[in-house]
Amino acid sequence: MEYWSFAVILATFLGPAFAIQVQKSIERNRARSQDKEAVFRMLMSTRATRLSEEHVRALNTIDLAYRGGLPKKRSRGETEVINRWTEYRGHLFIDQRDLTESQKERWVSDADSGFSSLLEAMAKERGYVFDKHALGRGGYSPMAHGYMQVQQEQVRHLLLQILSGERPIPMSLRDLPDTSQWNEAVLHELQTIRENTGTK
């Protein structure tokens, strides 16, 4: 058998299998790209409301979308996103409850910077060109949303204090109805019952 005949036979049998593998690889890459795009879009659309559930969910899917567990298979852009996310996540884990006011202000400033750096790396990996400062400060949220969030937090805090027994429920009676006429009517009825039954 000649070499070319063998090559034709081999191509006949391996060609469809190879084509299927190539198609699967294309579909995997497309799905991965769509996942990264979805995460980036969600973070961009919720950047002004970083406490929202959607924002936190998007942050928590970065590792999955950018192959956080497979460092050898990451592109340079994916590695940069994972590195910036790791740095930003580490900052988010700092407990703010014991910080002074100036330390809290510094924490917020560092969080803004870390988030902007993360978005910048994601934009670059996706092929977008954005100014780093515009990424962090460019989100819009109506002032009413901020007021509502503050009010919801205040209500939640008060409820927790009441339920834990730290704060009593304030109560006062005002504008009680005049019951003197009702009392007289009841007394009159009782007197009538006594007279009819012959009891004293």
Side-chain angles (χ1 to χ4, degrees), residues 11 51 66 86 93 99 120-122 163 171 175:
L51 295 179
Y66 287 85
T86 301
F93 278 128
L99 300 180
E120 180 185 36
M122 293 177 84
L163 293 174
M171 300 176 84
D175 301 328

Side-chain angles (χ1 to χ4, degrees), residues 118-189:
L118 172 63
L119 283 182
E120 180 185 36
M122 293 177 84
K124 186 176 179 182
E125 194 277 336
R126 297 278 65 216
Y128 297 114
V129 178
F130 287 106
D131 176 62
K132 177 181 176 179
H133 300 290
L135 284 170
R137 300 272 185 214
Y140 168 71
S141 180
M143 289 175 63
H145 288 185
Y147 296 145
M148 286 175 17
Q149 284 180 336
V150 169
Q151 289 172 341
Q152 287 173 351
E153 181 60 26
Q154 289 171 339
V155 168
R156 189 185 71 80
H157 185 69
L158 286 172
L159 279 174
L160 287 173
Q161 286 180 326
I162 290 169
L163 293 174
S164 68
E166 293 176 32
R167 177 184 287 258
I169 299 174
M171 300 176 84
S172 64
L173 298 174
R174 290 187 224 168
D175 301 328
L176 294 174
D178 182 16
T179 58
S180 60
Q181 291 177 346
W182 183 79
N183 289 341
E184 289 176 18
V186 169
L187 288 174
H188 178 57
E189 283 297 318

Side-chain angles (χ1 to χ4, degrees), residues 66-104:
Y66 287 85
R67 302 187 220 166
L70 304 168
K72 291 183 180 178
K73 294 190 175 188
R74 282 189 220 137
S75 69
R76 190 175 304 153
E78 290 171 331
T79 299
E80 187 63 25
V81 169
I82 292 295
N83 289 343
R84 301 234 185 137
W85 165 229
T86 301
E87 186 178 314
Y88 179 54
R89 180 178 49 209
H91 181 74
L92 294 177
F93 278 128
I94 294 173
D95 189 352
Q96 303 169 48
R97 290 176 291 187
D98 297 328
L99 300 180
T100 64
E101 285 304 312
S102 63
Q103 288 173 326
K104 286 180 182 179

